[in-house]
Amino acid sequence: MGMMTLLLTIAAIIVAGSCLTFIAIRLVDQREQPATNSPDLVRPIRISETDERPAASSTEIALAKLDAMVGLAPVKQEVRGLIARMQVEQKRRDQGLDVSALSQHMVFAGPPGVGKTEIARLVGEICQGLKVLRKGHVVETDRAGLVAGYVGQTATKTMEKCREALDGVLFIDEAYTLAPSGGTGPEFGKEAIDTLLKFMEDNRDRIIVIVAGYRNEMRRFIESNPGLASRFSKTIDFPSYSAADLCEMFKRMAARQQFSLPAGFEAKLMPWIEGRSKAEDWANGREMRTLLEKAREAQALRVANDAAADISLLTIEDIVQAAGFQAGDDETSVADALAKLDAMVGLAPVKQEVKRLSARLEVEQKRRDQGLPVAAVSQHMVFTGPPGVGKTEVARVIGEVFRALKMLRKGHLVETDRAGLVAGYVGQTATKTLDKCREALDGILFIDEAYTLAAPTGGGGPDFGKEAIDTLLKFMEDNRDRVVVIVAGYPNDMRRFIESNPGLSSRFTKTVDFPAYGVSELCEILRRMAARQHFSLPEDFISALAPWIESRAGAPDWGNARSIRTLLEKARESQAIRISTDATADLSRIETADLLDATMN
């Protein structure tokens, strides 16, 4: 018992000693360690498995979105310049330096579907990130969103939209529609502009207004009002997307919707884009969205009853069907068009000129395909020569060449003359000329005897021909890539016509001279005309007809091939009279006597 008590006492002493030792050590450590708020405290380095980089600013995010957009290189450069200017201004404010008041309002000029709205949203994000605007949101509107139908209501409607955009961006699409229309009724568009300008002045640091629309229309819109011109001093031009850009856009849209495209789809799609892009209703990126929707519809019909079909793949056939063209629609070649030219009788110097033109256009197209610069050269032409020498037929061939090279979307020919352009009353000629020009859009406008537009009327009344010329020149300038105008007439008359107006001489720099047909050429034309109507001619018809052609060729009313066409019609009448009482006569043969009889009528 005594031994047990001794052992327990010894154990207790040992435990107590250990505890006291541990407590003493802890007290020493605490005295030697600095306090948690001590500057001598060295904390352990924490190693994280993740990359803890600072979050990107809203401006950096907006710039990343900008860089990710397809194409628009000049627009991206302009936006970066805008950011740099705002950043410098912000630094000057931070340093207490003066900052000159610069208008932040902008004009976005360009065709539809080229990203104007998307860039406006990025401008809002950038301005919010740089503290230029508190919210940076974008309010989109147009004439319908600003203008009411009754006096006094437009100001209220416009003010509501402006207040909605306060501390952000007001984006007005097709803003040129607000310009005065020239009518006699109340100008509600002008009321909207006046209200907008006052709001911009009263809230100059709290709103940015971006007006958008076609280049020429927006230029005229801004110039129409001094208040607009003083506030919208910055214009950003948006170029149309190239065919390659639109193919890339189409591919990205498909990928976002989890569809894959076949290899080489660009080779089928690009020619269609190049042709369609010259249409008046072409909408650039919007067209690709519509095309994808239609391609998905075509794919759905194709795979509906095919359990093994890949529902995530859009085929070439789907795209072709969506685009609305057949496999061979874009296969018309320049060679096919030139073959028609070669098949024409005579015209050796004309054929040479057209082939040189075709070769130049082909080289220019190849340079465009390789991204090389192409000098702007006027494509409008003067055809000089007597009537009936194939000017209209050659113009049709040129239209086919331009269409084959994707220079014109349709390449069709619209024929007209003074009567088709000029009206008899003030103001009607411009409308009549514009109607004919619009009919020829994306093709060839062929004006025969064009010199009559500049011929003096002999009276003291208005010169309607000059009005037609002025309207034509403006249309050519506004649609320089969408129409080719060919004016035709006698050499001397056409030379005086072109020299009569600087606008004509600067645009019609190419002249093609058409020689009169020789005797053998006219006889060959007669033979071909007869063959097309299923008539044959005797072997000696050339020798019998040559003297008549030579004697008539110098007459003022000689029409070359037209006179030969008239001769054939009269010869058929003579043949009909001759064989009317002969049941055994050959109905398909015109005799030399029929031709000679026709020359006497």
Side-chain angles (χ1 to χ4, degrees):
M1 186 60 140
M3 182 61 69
M4 181 61 70
T5 302
L6 179 62
L7 291 173
L8 289 172
T9 301
I10 293 171
I13 293 170
I14 293 172
V15 171
S18 299
C19 290
L20 290 171
T21 303
F22 176 76
I23 291 170
I25 292 171
R26 290 290 296 167
L27 290 172
V28 171
D29 287 344
Q30 288 181 8
R31 284 179 57 187
E32 292 178 351
Q33 285 183 352
T36 55
N37 59 354
S38 169
D40 297 326
L41 177 63
V42 179
R43 294 181 175 88
I45 298 174
R46 295 169 57 197
I47 299 176
S48 174
E49 295 294 332
T50 60
D51 185 8
E52 295 183 350
R53 296 176 181 171
S57 68
S58 57
T59 302
E60 290 172 335
I61 294 172
L63 281 173
K65 292 179 183 178
L66 179 70
D67 289 335
M69 293 180 71
V70 174
L72 301 179
V75 176
K76 293 175 180 178
Q77 184 177 353
E78 288 281 1
V79 173
R80 288 185 175 277
L82 173 68
I83 293 170
R85 192 192 80 191
M86 290 181 175
Q87 287 175 328
V88 170
E89 289 175 356
Q90 191 61 50
K91 289 179 181 178
R92 290 182 63 85
R93 288 189 188 92
D94 293 343
Q95 295 176 21
L97 300 174
D98 290 337
V99 177
S100 58
L102 295 175
S103 174
Q104 309 285 13
H105 311 298
M106 288 171 273
V107 179
F108 283 6
V114 289
K116 296 192 289 289
T117 308
E118 290 78 2
I119 294 295
R121 292 193 187 105
L122 290 179
V123 168
E125 292 178 27
I126 290 165
C127 289
Q128 190 270 338
L130 294 174
K131 305 296 188 290
V132 175
L133 294 171
R134 187 168 63 85
K135 297 179 182 177
H137 64 298
V138 175
V139 174
E140 301 174 44
T141 191
D142 54 14
R143 180 186 171 92
L146 301 174
V147 174
Y150 301 97
V151 175
Q153 291 185 340
T154 290
T156 302
K157 194 172 183 180
T158 301
M159 281 295 293
E160 288 174 354
K161 194 62 69 173
C162 289
R163 290 192 185 102
E164 183 184 348
L166 204 58
D167 297 315
V169 175
L170 179 63
F171 180 83
I172 308 174
D173 201 13
E174 296 182 346
Y176 54 87
T177 58
L178 296 172
S181 60
T184 57
E187 289 291 353
F188 297 127
K190 182 178 183 301
E191 185 180 352
I193 293 172
D194 293 341
T195 304
L196 175 67
L197 290 175
K198 185 177 186 309
F199 190 88
M200 291 165 65
E201 182 64 25
D202 293 344
N203 300 273
R204 63 173 66 91
D205 296 325
R206 294 189 60 193
I207 192 170
I208 290 176
V209 179
I210 298 176
V211 290
Y214 294 100
R215 291 182 183 87
N216 292 336
E217 284 83 349
M218 290 306 297
R219 185 185 69 250
R220 289 190 286 267
F221 169 64
I222 296 300
E223 293 172 352
S224 70
N225 187 309
L228 293 171
S230 65
R231 288 169 177 82
F232 292 94
S233 55
K234 179 68 174 175
T235 296
I236 298 180
D237 286 311
F238 284 66
S240 292
Y241 287 115
S242 68
D245 288 339
L246 289 170
C247 283
E248 175 62 23
M249 195 176 295
F250 185 73
K251 184 169 69 173
R252 293 188 187 185
M253 288 179 181
R256 282 196 294 270
Q257 298 181 30
Q258 297 181 316
F259 283 94
S260 58
L261 300 173
F265 81 94
E266 297 93 343
K268 177 60 66 174
L269 193 54
M270 286 179 72
W272 177 80
I273 291 172
E274 289 170 351
R276 276 282 297 130
S277 62
K278 294 180 174 66
E280 194 167 5
D281 60 348
W282 178 250
N284 287 278
R286 298 176 195 170
E287 297 284 344
M288 295 300 100
R289 188 180 301 113
T290 302
L291 181 66
L292 180 58
E293 291 171 0
K294 291 181 178 179
R296 290 186 59 180
E297 292 174 3
Q299 187 237 35
L301 291 172
R302 176 176 56 81
V303 305
N305 300 316
D306 185 357
D310 184 351
I311 60 174
S312 67
L313 174 66
L314 296 175
T315 66
I316 290 290
E317 290 72 22
D318 298 331
I319 297 172
V320 166
Q321 186 174 343
F325 63 90
Q326 301 301 317
D329 278 359
D330 59 343
E331 301 301 325
T332 302
S333 68
V334 176
D336 294 334
L338 294 181
K340 295 180 180 179
L341 182 70
D342 286 332
M344 295 176 68
V345 175
L347 302 179
V350 176
K351 292 175 181 178
Q352 184 179 358
E353 285 286 355
V354 174
K355 288 178 180 178
R356 288 174 60 186
L357 169 66
S358 174
R360 192 198 79 200
L361 294 176
E362 284 189 282
V363 170
E364 289 178 357
Q365 191 60 48
K366 289 177 181 177
R367 288 182 63 87
R368 288 188 188 92
D369 293 342
Q370 296 176 22
L372 299 173
V374 177
V377 178
S378 174
Q379 310 291 6
H380 311 297
M381 287 170 268
V382 180
F383 282 5
T384 63
V389 289
K391 296 191 289 290
T392 308
E393 289 78 4
V394 171
R396 285 197 184 93
V397 170
I398 288 176
E400 292 181 25
V401 170
F402 274 77
R403 180 179 181 275
L405 291 172
K406 315 300 180 191
M407 305 290 290
L408 292 172
R409 186 171 65 89
K410 298 178 182 176
H412 64 299
L413 183 75
V414 173
E415 301 176 54
T416 192
D417 54 14
R418 179 185 172 94
L421 302 175
V422 173
Y425 301 96
V426 175
Q428 292 184 339
T429 290
T431 301
K432 195 171 183 180
T433 300
L434 269 176
D435 288 343
K436 194 60 69 173
C437 288
R438 292 191 184 104
E439 184 184 346
L441 208 57
D442 300 315
I444 306 283
L445 179 62
F446 181 84
I447 307 175
D448 201 13
E449 297 183 345
Y451 55 86
T452 58
L453 294 172
T457 59
D463 188 353
F464 296 126
K466 181 179 183 302
E467 185 181 353
I469 292 172
D470 293 342
T471 304
L472 175 67
L473 290 174
K474 185 178 185 306
F475 188 87
M476 291 165 65
E477 180 63 25
D478 292 344
N479 300 274
R480 63 175 67 91
D481 297 324
R482 295 190 58 196
V483 69
V484 171
V485 179
I486 298 176
V487 290
Y490 292 102
N492 291 337
D493 294 324
M494 290 306 297
R495 186 184 68 253
R496 287 191 290 268
F497 169 65
I498 296 299
E499 292 173 352
S500 71
N501 187 310
L504 293 171
S505 57
S506 66
R507 289 170 177 82
F508 292 94
T509 57
K510 179 70 174 175
T511 298
V512 180
D513 291 312
F514 284 67
Y517 287 117
V519 172
S520 61
E521 292 170 341
L522 289 170
C523 287
E524 175 61 20
I525 289 172
L526 176 64
R527 187 186 65 76
R528 294 188 185 187
M529 286 181 179
R532 282 195 293 271
Q533 298 178 31
H534 302 287
F535 285 95
S536 61
L537 299 174
E539 293 294 331
D540 65 344
F541 86 93
I542 297 178
S543 58
L545 206 56
W548 176 80
I549 292 176
E550 290 172 347
S551 65
R552 287 282 298 129
D557 62 343
W558 178 247
N560 286 277
R562 297 177 192 172
S563 295
I564 296 301
R565 185 182 300 111
T566 302
L567 177 70
L568 179 59
E569 292 171 359
K570 291 180 177 180
R572 288 185 60 182
E573 292 175 1
S574 296
Q575 185 236 32
I577 294 172
R578 176 177 56 80
I579 67 175
S580 61
T581 57
D582 184 357
T584 63
D586 186 349
L587 300 177
S588 65
R589 185 171 177 80
I590 294 176
E591 299 292 352
T592 301
D594 300 326
L595 292 170
L596 292 176
D597 186 56
T599 64
M600 304 300 293
N601 295 330

